[in-house]
Amino acid sequence: MDTSFSSFFLSALFMLMFPVMNSAGFPPTLEPICGPTHPPDAIPIYPNDVHLLQFPLNLEHLEADYFLYGALGYGPYKVAPELVMGGPPPIGAQKANLDELVNRIIEEFGYQEVDLLLLAGLLGVEAGQDAVIRMYLYERADYKVYPYDYTVAEFTDCISELRNKLGICGIKDEGICVPLNLGAENRTTSNVLAADYNSLSYARTPREILRIVYGTGSEHVPGGFFPKGENGKIARELLYSYE
């Protein structure tokens, strides 16, 4: 069939379909109808909800500092000072020695973390960041990390083992390569996305998270990334219950 005739035929068919579609009940306009992404009626926020939202904000702020300092050499206090509210900058943070590709990725993650300090669409973006980082590491699994005598895969194993040890509640973190019995369906040793053998995401309680980010193995003893402990009712009550 001649190309020009084919184009004409398809165009004519498309135009003829309009009255058919309209008569069949389709709206006579091409303007899309999009509803709000939030419920039309206000949803009450209970006191406990506020505390549960405040808890991850500590972690989001930590990640914002981590990514922004790594890529730019400065953190939210300069990018979004209204969110810092006069709080002190982190101790010892500095720009990382990154190639151009990684620097751009980490800078993007930093800006995303600033947005996530408002907790909008948090889980989807966090999962995406995790996937990007783990895929990048997996592609380099056998590279030696200078000046250490460890490969990238071995480093991820060590980090995961430490987090599991600090969390105290079994295997909830895995490196980019795992034994067959921990792989998806027990059929693979690749582990780009960390999950259990049923490919379900691991879950942690606030207590487990605090044990890890404090680096002490105790939700009552601050340290690590939060030398003075996290803020918010959940974290502060756990600190006070120990004092």
Side-chain angles (χ1 to χ4, degrees), residues 150-185:
Y150 291 94
T151 64
V152 170
E154 290 170 336
F155 256 110
T156 65
D157 285 340
C158 291
I159 293 171
S160 294
E161 288 175 9
L162 176 60
R163 294 174 69 176
N164 289 329
K165 180 180 178 180
L166 293 172
I168 305 177
C169 295
I171 296 177
K172 294 193 175 182
D173 200 284
E174 298 172 336
I176 54 176
C177 297
V178 293
L180 196 62
N181 66 306
L182 293 178
E185 288 292 306

Side-chain angles (χ1 to χ4, degrees), residues 69-88:
Y69 268 97
L72 303 174
Y74 52 82
Y77 76 93
K78 187 172 182 179
V79 174
E82 71 280 5
L83 297 178
V84 179
M85 300 177 67

Side-chain angles (χ1 to χ4, degrees), residues 170-219:
I171 296 177
K172 294 193 175 182
D173 200 284
E174 298 172 336
I176 54 176
C177 297
V178 293
L180 196 62
N181 66 306
L182 293 178
E185 288 292 306
N186 304 137
R187 297 182 181 184
T188 178
T189 59
S190 65
N191 198 41
V192 177
L193 298 180
D196 65 16
Y197 60 86
N198 288 318
S199 297
L200 299 177
S201 298
Y202 292 113
R204 287 196 182 97
T205 65
R207 287 176 179 266
E208 293 172 59
I209 293 171
L210 290 174
R211 294 169 196 159
I212 295 169
V213 296
Y214 287 172
T216 62
S218 172
E219 62 270 39

Side-chain angles (χ1 to χ4, degrees), residues 47-104:
N48 284 342
D49 294 334
V50 174
H51 303 318
L52 290 173
L53 289 173
Q54 190 175 29
F55 183 82
L57 282 178
N58 289 272
L59 305 175
E60 294 308 310
H61 205 297
L62 168 64
E63 292 180 37
D65 273 324
Y66 188 85
F67 289 136
L68 288 174
Y69 268 97
L72 303 174
Y74 52 82
Y77 76 93
K78 187 172 182 179
V79 174
E82 71 280 5
L83 297 178
V84 179
M85 300 177 67
I91 300 171
Q94 58 184 327
K95 190 179 187 309
N97 182 21
L98 306 173
D99 62 39
E100 182 180 358
L101 173 63
V102 177
N103 200 89
R104 291 182 64 181

Side-chain angles (χ1 to χ4, degrees), residues 122-141:
L122 184 152
L123 293 179
V125 174
E126 289 289 331
Q129 291 177 353
D130 184 63
V132 170
I133 292 172
R134 292 182 68 91
M135 185 64 206
Y136 189 88
L137 293 173
Y138 185 76
E139 290 177 331
R140 294 155 180 78

